[in-house]
């Protein structure tokens, strides 16, 4: 039985792509919106640049959308510019939709809800574990601005909403700007090919402290659950796997998976951007030798984003109590999430065996 007609905004990304696949497999009619249109089995492509209000209105005209799942963003040089660009995109989207038909909208943000923006990490210094009831931290943050646009649109259109706050999503996707899983797989593969040890690029704090992560498929399941469970409407939910770990152990386990030596955490962080400077030709040689599907390493990795995540100077642990109390009990071991992803990347010939 068809559950609804979904519009996944950002359907070619890590979160949106996995969500679109999950919804398609579970009885939804799914439209996938991206700048070029999502090319995914079972997903109806919609091509539009949300910064262009006219093009957005034309692309969405007449579509029978009942549920919107907003899984996209654009990066600008400052947080004020992030706010301007990202709120413009969401406003253009809701202006183009027939809200008389719309029942629900979900927004995916993240742990910067508690940490502050890219430009002010740790500005709030909120005690872990992070809970959804925490007040917004000081300073500009485009996550807050997007929430406000969502709340206004929901009240105006009389539809329900959810906000989901994952922490470092990992899963299968290529060319995504926030994909630590693929980034670390490529890094490990380069280390193996060159005979160099894997050197943790982040801070001593992240090396030693507890942390958590979010599997993209678990996030997809929670998004669908919240959108279809009446008691979960109009709530924000943290979304993490349910376990915690320390990078000093996980890093060695990832090294063992790839059969690569692991160095001790250096006293001074050695960023991936620094370590991998000039690696483009190395990856081209690896891709040619192993007949990989992509020889341009810049289309696979996000050195900057992984450096930002791993360089934080505070512990990051998200509380899942609210989600459990509302009835979502899914769990995924983070080590298994990494290993499942690495195995698929090998099978898809994204990285070498």
């Amino acid at each position: 039985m068809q559950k609804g007609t979904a519009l996944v905004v950002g359907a070619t990304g890590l979160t949106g792509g996995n969500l679109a696949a999950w919804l398609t497999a579970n009885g939804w009619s799914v439209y996938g919106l991206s700048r070029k249109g999502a090319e995914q089995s079972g997903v109806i492509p919609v091509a539009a640049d949300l910064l262009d209000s006219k093009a957005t209105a034309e692309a969405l005209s007449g579509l029978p959308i009942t549920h919107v799942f907003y899984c996209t963003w654009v990066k600008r040089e400052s947080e004020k510019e992030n706010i301007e660009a990202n709120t413009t995109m969401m406003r253009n989207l809701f202006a183009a939709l027939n809200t008389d038909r719309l029942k629900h909208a979900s927004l995916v943000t993240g742990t910067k809800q508690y940490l502050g923006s890219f430009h002010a990490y740790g500005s709030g210094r909120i005690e872990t574990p992070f809970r959804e009831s925490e007040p917004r931290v000081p300073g500009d943050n485009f996550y807050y601005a997007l929430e406000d646009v969502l709340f206004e649109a929901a009240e105006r259109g009389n539809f329900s909403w959810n906000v989901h706050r994952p922490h470092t999503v990992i899963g299968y996707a290529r060319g995504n700007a926030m994909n630590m899983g693929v980034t670390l797989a490529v890094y490990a593969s380069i280390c193996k090919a060159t005979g160099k040890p894997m050197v943790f690029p982040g801070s001593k704090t992240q090396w030693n402290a507890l942390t958590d992560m979010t599997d993209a498929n678990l996030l997809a399941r929670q998004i669908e659950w919240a959108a279809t469970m009446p008691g979960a409407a109009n709530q924000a939910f943290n979304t993490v796997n349910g376990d915690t770990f320390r990078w000093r152990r996980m890093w060695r386990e990832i090294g063992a998976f790839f059969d690569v030596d692991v160095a001790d955490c250096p006293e001074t962080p050695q960023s991936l951007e620094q370590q991998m400077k000039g690696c483009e030709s190395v990856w081209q040689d690896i891709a040619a030798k192993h007949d990989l599907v992509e020889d341009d390493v810049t289309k696979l990795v996000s050195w900057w984003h992984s450096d930002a995540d791993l360089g934080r100077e505070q512990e990051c642990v998200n509380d899942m109590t609210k989600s459990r109390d509302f009835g979502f009990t899914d769990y995924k071991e983070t080590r298994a999430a990494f290993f499942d992803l690495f195995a698929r990347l090998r099978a898809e010939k994204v990285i070498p065996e």
Side-chain angles (χ1 to χ4, degrees):
M1 185 176 69
Q2 184 174 320
K3 295 181 179 179
T5 301
L7 177 68
V8 177
V9 183
T12 57
L14 172 56
T15 296
N18 282 278
L19 175 61
W22 174 262
L23 295 175
T24 300
N26 285 276
W28 292 74
S29 178
V30 179
Y31 289 86
L33 190 152
S34 64
R35 288 182 182 86
K36 296 182 179 179
E39 296 181 6
Q40 187 172 337
S41 177
V43 177
I44 304 166
V46 179
D49 181 349
L50 288 177
L51 288 169
D52 185 332
S53 59
K54 182 179 178 181
T56 301
E58 291 175 352
L60 297 179
S61 177
L63 297 187
I65 305 301
T66 61
H67 292 69
V68 168
F69 300 99
Y70 197 91
C71 312
T72 193
W73 72 294
V74 292
K75 186 175 185 292
R76 295 292 187 256
E77 290 300 313
S78 71
E79 196 62 15
K80 289 187 182 300
E81 291 172 297
N82 281 337
I83 291 171
E84 176 63 27
N86 284 280
T87 57
T88 296
M89 289 166 60
M90 183 177 275
R91 291 185 193 280
N92 287 343
L93 173 74
F94 284 122
L97 289 170
N98 179 359
T99 55
D100 291 339
R101 184 184 292 269
L102 195 60
K103 298 178 180 179
H104 184 85
S106 298
L107 166 65
V108 179
T109 59
T111 304
K112 287 191 295 298
Q113 175 80 20
Y114 312 111
L115 293 172
S117 71
F118 280 125
H119 307 279
Y121 261 153
S123 60
R125 289 294 172 184
I126 293 175
E127 184 74 24
T128 56
F130 302 139
R131 298 191 178 99
E132 295 90 340
S133 58
E134 303 290 355
R136 293 176 173 182
V137 302
D140 292 330
N141 191 325
F142 80 89
Y143 284 179
Y144 305 157
L146 283 177
E147 283 188 342
D148 290 341
V149 174
L150 173 65
F151 301 155
E152 292 167 7
E155 183 175 2
R156 192 168 57 246
N158 194 32
F159 55 84
S160 61
W161 57 267
N162 287 118
V163 176
H164 298 268
R165 299 169 182 168
H167 179 205
T168 309
V169 181
I170 53 175
Y172 184 79
R174 287 164 53 194
N176 180 264
M178 298 177 71
N179 197 340
M180 182 187 288
V182 177
T183 298
L184 294 185
V186 169
Y187 173 60
S189 299
I190 291 173
C191 288
K192 185 173 183 178
T194 58
K196 296 180 179 178
M198 286 177 58
V199 178
F200 186 71
S203 67
K204 282 278 191 179
T205 299
Q206 287 304 305
W207 180 253
N208 292 311
L210 287 171
T211 192
D212 52 28
M213 278 191 163
T214 305
D215 178 77
N217 287 315
L218 181 139
L219 174 56
R221 296 195 297 273
Q222 193 205 46
I223 291 172
E224 186 201 24
W225 162 81
T228 56
M229 183 66 62
N234 303 330
Q235 298 291 330
F237 293 107
N238 289 338
T239 317
V240 288
N241 291 335
D243 63 342
T244 56
F245 67 94
R246 301 181 201 276
W247 274 110
R248 67 190 187 206
R249 183 173 184 176
M250 184 69 75
W251 197 254
R252 293 187 173 93
E253 290 173 333
I254 292 174
F257 182 96
F258 286 97
D259 193 24
V260 177
D261 290 335
V262 174
D264 290 333
C265 181
E267 291 297 324
T268 302
Q270 298 182 26
S271 70
L272 290 174
E273 283 195 312
Q274 173 189 344
Q275 293 185 53
M276 293 290 100
K277 188 174 182 179
C279 73
E280 291 81 7
S281 61
V282 175
W283 186 255
Q284 288 177 343
D285 292 342
I286 294 172
K289 180 179 179 180
H290 297 277
D291 192 28
L292 302 182
V293 297
E294 181 56 70
D295 67 356
D296 184 351
V297 72
T298 64
K299 294 182 179 180
L300 297 173
V301 302
S302 52
W303 307 130
W304 70 270
H305 185 262
S306 295
D307 284 338
D309 266 4
L310 298 175
R312 296 168 180 158
E313 291 293 346
Q314 72 175 95
E315 182 180 79
C316 297
V317 176
N318 293 267
D319 189 276
M320 284 290 285
T321 301
K322 180 180 178 182
S323 190
R324 306 300 186 221
D325 284 346
F326 274 78
F328 183 78
T329 58
D330 287 22
Y331 173 93
K332 178 75 175 185
E333 184 199 26
T334 301
R335 180 176 57 174
F338 270 123
F339 293 173
D340 289 350
L341 171 61
F342 298 156
R344 182 174 178 184
L345 292 174
R346 283 177 169 174
E348 301 279 352
K349 296 191 74 66
V350 178
I351 61 173
E353 293 285 346

